[in-house]
Amino acid sequence: MAFVSSGYNPKEPMKDRITDIGPKHFEEFYPPVIKNNKGKWLYHEILEPGVLVHVSETGDEVYTVRAGGCRLMSIEHIREICEIADKHCNGYLRFTTRNNIEFMVDSKSKVKPLVDDLMSRKQPGGCYKFPVGGTGAGITNIVHTQGWIHCHTPATDASGPVKATMDVLFDDFRTMRLPAHVRVSLACCLNMCGAVHCSDIAILGYHRKPPLLDHEYLDKMCEVPLAIAACPTAAIKPSKVTLPSGVEVKSVAVNNDRCMFCGNCYTMCPSMPLADTEGDGIVIMAGGKVSNRLSAPKFSKVVVAFLPNEAPRWPQTTAVIKKIVEAYAKGANKYERVGEWAERIGWERFFEKCEIEFTHHLIDDFRDPAYFTWRQTTQFKF
Amino acid sequence: MPTVEFQGKSFTIDEDGFIDDYKNWSQEWVQYVKKEEGIDELNEEHQNVIKVLREYYEKNGIAPMVRVLSKVTGFKLKHIYELFPSGPGKGACKMAGLPKPTGCV
C-alpha cells in the first residue's frame, strides 16, 4: 500500500510529540463486578478445569473461564477474542502472566454458554482456538520466547517446540490430575528470557560449537573490549590478525578449550556468530519453582544435556518431557512440586524413575560454587 | 551493504544507518546523520559530544557508558536527549561514527 501518514511530520520530529505517558491505568478496564468488589474477595474455588469462581463479601460472584493462548497472535485472532468478550462478557477480558486468556462473567448461568462457545472454535487445521483449562494441579501455558521467528541469537525455535510440547501435554491442560501444578517454560538461548531457570520443567536452546570469527569486520562492527568482557570463562583475548589481503587488523582470539558456547560474545559482537544446524539443540532442566509454598524457591537443574533440534515436532524433546511428567505424576505426593519430589527421593532416584541417562555434562564445573553441588556425604541410594 | 552519497562523499552504511567503519568518518558524515536524525542545527555542544565519543573510543575501544559521557561532557542525560532526540546510542554514537550498540537493546 502506498504511504499513508499518521500526521507525524518527519521534518519536525519533535513537534506535537507526546511522551512519558506510560500505560493506561488498569482500572479503566475493570469489569464492573471486579471494580465493585476490589479488595473485598472472600474465597475462590476451581469449579472445573479452566473455570474459577471468586466470591466477594458483598455476595457478588465472578466466574473466570481460562483459555489457552498461543502468545504469538494475529490481530484477526485478537479480534476474535474481542468478539467473544463482547458476546459474553460486555467487552471485558484479561491475559494472565502465562499468556492465557481469561473471560469473566458475573453469573453461573453465563459460564456454560461461554465454555461451549470457546471449545467449539477451531483453526482450519483442527486445533482448538481457545481450549479451556490451565487451572489447578495441571499443566498450564508454556512461557516462551522469540526463537526463529524474530531473535538473532537462538539455538532453537520457541513457538514450534512449544506447540509440539503442548500437544503432547494437552490432556494435562484440560485436567487437574497431577500432585501439584507443573510449570513448563522454554527459552531459545541461555539468555533465559522468561522463566526457564525457575520452572518445574524447562526447555533451553543450547549451542555446541565455538563462535566463528569474521576477522575482516570484527574491529569495525564490534567494541572489542566488550566482546572480551562478555565471556564468562575468559576464553576470548584481543589479537592482531593478518588478513589474506596482507592487511593487519585488530581482532580477537578464542581459546576453544575454554569456550562453553554460551553465545554472549555474539550478543555483544555481530562478527562472532555461532549458530549451527547440527551443533545446536535443546537442554532439559527440571525442578525449579518461584513460590514460597512449603519449600523456598528453587532453580531448575539440568537433567538432559543435549537433544537435537528436530523441526517441526521435536519428538525426542517432547518424549523426555512426557516421561518426566508421567514419572512425577506417579511418584510424587500431593502438593509436591517436581523439584520437591526430586529432592525428597534424591536426584539419583529421579534419574532412575524418569529413565534419563546421567552424563558427566550434568556435573557442575562452573567456578567455586560448583563444589557445593557435589555430594559431600555418604548418604545415597544404590 | 548500501551506500549513500552525501555532499560529494560516499559512505557505506548498514540497515540502521550506522557507518561501516569508524575510520571512514568525516564532517560530511556528521551532516548526513544530522539530516537523517532530524536535528535542526548543529551547535558547539553537539560537536563536543561527538568529540568526547570519538576520543573515548579511540583511547578505549568502546563507547563510554552514559554516566561517563554525562560526566565528561557535563551534560545531563536529559540535555543529551535534547541535543540528540534519538538518544546517546542511536543518535550521538551514529553521528560520531562509532559501531552500532549491541546487546539486548
Side-chain angles (χ1 to χ4, degrees):
Chain A
M1 197 165 71
F3 175 70
V4 178
S5 172
S6 63
Y8 166 77
N9 181 0
K11 293 214 170 64
E12 290 179 283
M14 302 303 278
K15 187 168 169 271
D16 296 332
R17 179 167 170 264
I18 299 166
T19 177
D20 296 320
I21 54 170
K24 293 262 198 182
H25 198 281
F26 45 83
E27 286 191 356
E28 290 177 48
F29 308 99
Y30 276 162
V33 60
I34 300 286
K35 190 171 217 154
N36 298 338
N37 296 288
K38 184 181 178 183
K40 298 178 198 163
W41 300 107
L42 279 181
Y43 65 93
H44 72 274
E45 277 176 63
I46 302 174
L47 299 178
E48 57 180 282
V51 182
L52 303 123
V53 58
H54 287 75
V55 180
S56 158
E57 59 192 31
T58 64
D60 283 355
E61 292 178 334
V62 59
Y63 294 84
T64 304
V65 177
R66 185 176 294 169
C70 45
R71 196 185 77 103
L72 194 71
M73 292 175 182
S74 67
I75 291 179
E76 273 180 21
H77 194 71
I78 291 168
R79 285 195 175 134
E80 188 167 346
I81 296 169
C82 295
E83 181 226 307
I84 296 167
D86 283 337
K87 198 162 138 195
H88 297 274
C89 323
N90 294 320
Y92 294 98
L93 69 103
R94 66 185 287 269
F95 286 84
T96 69
T97 53
R98 295 189 82 87
N99 306 302
N100 287 314
I101 312 153
E102 284 188 351
F103 300 96
M104 283 153 288
V105 291
D106 50 14
S107 81
K108 190 158 194 183
S109 59
K110 295 179 185 171
V111 171
K112 191 159 186 310
L114 173 57
V115 171
D116 290 346
D117 187 6
L118 289 169
M119 291 304 290
S120 72
R121 293 174 189 249
K122 290 196 171 185
Q123 302 282 6
C127 303
Y128 288 105
K129 273 183 177 170
F130 306 103
V132 173
T135 52
I139 295 179
T140 182
N141 215 343
I142 299 183
V143 165
H144 66 279
T145 56
Q146 304 270 12
W148 298 331
I149 294 279
H150 194 75
C151 189
H152 72 297
T153 63
T156 187
D157 191 22
S159 306
V162 164
K163 167 70 175 149
T165 308
M166 275 320 276
D167 280 351
V168 170
L169 302 176
F170 186 69
D171 290 342
D172 284 316
F173 182 82
R174 298 272 296 136
T175 56
M176 308 191 289
R177 57 142 190 155
L178 298 176
H181 52 272
V182 172
R183 299 289 187 238
V184 186
S185 302
L186 176 146
C188 46
C189 80
L190 30 78
N191 230 350
M192 295 193 178
C193 301
V196 281
H197 63 295
C198 55
S199 295
D200 293 289
I201 299 174
I203 311 165
L204 183 65
Y206 183 65
H207 301 286
R208 289 187 303 170
K209 292 185 182 179
L212 306 167
L213 299 172
D214 202 346
H215 292 300
E216 191 183 341
Y217 294 103
L218 199 136
D219 187 41
K220 298 176 182 175
M221 305 277 286
C222 311
E223 301 168 54
V224 170
L226 294 189
I228 294 162
C231 185
T233 58
I236 305 174
K237 61 180 183 183
S239 77
K240 287 216 160 83
V241 177
T242 308
L243 297 176
S245 62
V247 186
E248 193 184 57
V249 291
K250 283 191 225 168
S251 186
V252 296
V254 176
N255 179 351
N256 287 350
D257 289 340
R258 289 190 72 93
C259 180
M260 56 178 186
F261 333 118
C262 69
N264 280 356
C265 52
Y266 178 60
T267 303
M268 298 314 293
C269 174
S271 301
M272 303 176 76
L274 77 165
D276 184 89
T277 311
E278 282 77 33
D280 295 354
I282 280 172
V283 168
I284 303 283
M285 310 201 299
K289 75 195 217 26
V290 286
S291 80
N292 251 316
R293 195 188 64 173
L294 301 181
S295 65
K298 299 177 204 301
F299 283 127
S300 39
K301 290 164 187 64
V302 178
V303 295
V304 179
F306 185 80
L307 293 164
N309 272 331
E310 302 164 301
R313 298 298 298 177
W314 278 266
Q316 289 190 53
T317 302
T318 55
V320 169
I321 293 169
K322 186 74 178 164
K323 266 199 295 194
I324 296 174
V325 170
E326 290 307 328
Y328 161 73
K330 205 167 136 220
N333 295 334
K334 194 160 172 58
Y335 304 125
E336 218 169 29
R337 299 283 295 267
V338 172
E340 292 164 336
W341 169 61
E343 283 178 14
R344 174 172 61 82
I345 63 173
W347 284 95
E348 66 269 34
R349 278 285 185 276
F350 173 89
F351 282 93
E352 198 181 291
K353 302 267 184 207
C354 297
E355 296 163 27
I356 296 172
E357 193 195 350
F358 186 91
T359 60
H360 72 276
H361 302 287
L362 309 184
I363 302 168
D364 195 345
D365 57 358
F366 189 65
R367 299 193 182 173
D368 294 358
Y371 177 79
F372 300 104
T373 67
W374 305 338
R375 186 156 300 185
Q376 288 140 50
T377 169
T378 52
Q379 296 182 351
F380 71 97
K381 295 179 189 117
F382 281 102
Chain B
M1 290 206 284
T3 332
V4 290
E5 300 282 335
F6 195 77
Q7 297 181 346
K9 284 233 181 183
S10 90
F11 302 101
T12 310
I13 60 167
D14 65 12
E15 71 278 11
D16 293 311
F18 279 79
I19 199 163
D20 67 330
D21 190 349
Y22 173 79
K23 297 187 190 90
N24 296 341
W25 179 88
S26 66
Q27 277 303 323
E28 287 82 3
W29 172 256
V30 175
Q31 295 301 322
Y32 166 75
V33 176
K34 167 176 171 270
K35 181 179 73 98
E36 293 294 300
E37 291 290 309
I39 296 166
D40 292 334
E41 214 171 327
L42 285 182
N43 56 30
E44 203 112 308
E45 292 180 332
H46 287 101
Q47 295 291 359
N48 188 16
V49 172
I50 292 170
K51 187 165 146 267
V52 166
L53 285 174
R54 286 191 67 84
E55 279 173 1
Y56 192 95
Y57 185 80
E58 238 153 273
K59 184 161 165 245
N60 300 299
I62 57 172
M65 281 173 280
V66 171
R67 276 163 171 245
V68 174
L69 181 65
S70 269
K71 200 161 190 178
V72 176
T73 57
F75 302 148
K76 290 225 158 66
L77 184 59
K78 188 166 184 288
H79 190 62
I80 294 174
Y81 268 91
E82 283 160 11
L83 298 171
F84 301 95
S86 309
K90 216 175 142 279
C93 282
K94 188 198 274 186
M95 198 178 260
L98 268 50
K100 183 159 64 187
T102 53
C104 297
V105 286

